[in-house]
Amino acid sequence: MPSRRTRGAAAAIAALALAGCSATGTGDTTEAEQPSGSYAVMGDWLGCEVFGDFADLQAQLGVTAVDGELQSDAIGEGVDAEAAGCAGLFDLATFEDVQGTFEYSSTGDAAIRGGLAPWNDEAEATANFADRVAQRRENLAGITYTGETEGELAGEWDESLAITAETENRTYLDVYGRKGDWVVYLSVDYLHDPGAGAYESAPEFYPDSSAEAMAVYPFTTESLVAWVTGEHLTQIQTEILQRAESEAGR
């Protein structure tokens, strides 16, 4: 039978070329094409259900507003047809200052994307994990990073990777984990702290302060990376496994 890796790629191309067109043609499914593994259990999940609408991550970032609505997709929808995805744009804390007659205000922002890609078997999931990691390392978007560090996720993963990178104005955190026959990923990028940025751009205006003292975010890059890789993805993994076990037993 054709693997879902092939069908997923075809679905992604079809979705971009002709929205609403089925990638499977007639819709008839033979017994040999029936989904198996985690795909049989997770195949109809919605992305934002998996990630709890990013509620814990929003709290960690100190989100002050959601720009529009979260985009919650099932497998076969959205820009990543292989995964049940969730994405959103968020406002973070605002730095405000007055210097004489000059008033200054700058609000931080963040973009969050997450996805769960279940597969028919572990071989498919292993290949998909490798594909996703390779694409991130190849930097197909052409972002000019000023530095990158790599690490792993805490907890019981078969494979994992966390990449933290900086640009002139933003920080990027991309994490990937594989557990058996499913893959999960989370990407967060955010504007550098506007309070710290104000100090760094004109320290002479704040002779008795520092970038750390003027920061308005309730987190640092170090604390966010430690929480995401050390706690958050482990909790997401636990919730995925618990839901899968519950639904498989029905």
Side-chain angles (χ1 to χ4, degrees):
M1 95 181 183
S3 74
R4 195 168 69 84
R5 285 171 53 74
T6 303
R7 295 201 303 274
I13 295 171
L16 291 173
L18 185 61
C21 180
S22 172
T24 57
T26 64
D28 294 334
T29 303
T30 66
E31 183 176 351
E33 293 174 330
Q34 289 295 330
S36 58
S38 62
Y39 185 40
V41 178
M42 306 175 188
D44 61 351
W45 291 9
L46 291 176
C48 287
E49 294 175 355
V50 175
F51 292 92
D53 291 336
F54 298 135
D56 291 343
L57 187 51
Q58 289 189 55
Q60 196 73 16
L61 293 171
V63 166
T64 59
V66 181
D67 296 339
E69 298 181 354
L70 297 183
Q71 179 69 45
S72 188
D73 298 317
I75 292 172
E77 301 175 349
V79 296
D80 184 355
E82 296 175 336
C86 187
L89 301 174
F90 306 87
D91 290 342
L92 303 184
T94 298
F95 174 79
E96 298 178 312
D97 188 33
V98 177
Q99 294 287 336
T101 60
F102 176 71
E103 296 183 1
Y104 175 78
S105 175
S106 178
T107 298
D109 68 78
I112 307 174
R113 301 159 299 282
L116 169 67
W119 297 93
N120 292 296
D121 55 47
E122 189 166 344
E124 287 187 349
T126 299
N128 185 249
F129 179 88
D131 286 347
R132 291 179 183 276
V133 168
Q135 289 176 17
R136 171 59 185 83
R137 286 177 169 155
E138 289 171 10
N139 187 17
L140 301 179
I143 298 172
T144 304
Y145 295 120
T146 59
E148 295 185 60
T149 59
E150 294 190 3
E152 296 182 343
L153 303 180
E156 298 181 358
W157 299 90
D158 295 309
E159 299 179 271
S160 71
L161 175 68
I163 301 179
T164 307
E166 300 287 343
T167 66
E168 183 178 356
N169 298 309
R170 302 187 73 81
T171 299
Y172 293 78
L173 172 60
D174 297 294
V175 297
Y176 308 87
R178 180 181 68 82
K179 181 69 173 177
D181 56 4
W182 55 270
V183 175
V184 67
Y185 66 88
L186 179 68
S187 295
V188 183
D189 66 84
Y190 56 88
L191 186 71
H192 290 164
D193 191 297
Y199 175 84
E200 292 167 350
S201 64
E204 65 276 12
F205 289 168
Y206 313 100
D208 300 321
S209 191
S210 65
E212 182 180 41
M214 289 177 56
V216 293
Y217 289 168
F219 66 93
T220 63
T221 295
E222 292 75 15
S223 68
L224 179 66
V225 172
W227 178 76
V228 169
T229 61
E231 300 179 36
H232 187 50
L233 262 294
T234 300
Q235 181 61 37
I236 293 293
Q237 181 198 83
T238 298
E239 292 169 359
I240 290 172
L241 291 172
Q242 288 176 344
R243 179 177 173 184
E245 181 179 2
S246 175
E247 295 191 6
R250 291 178 182 174

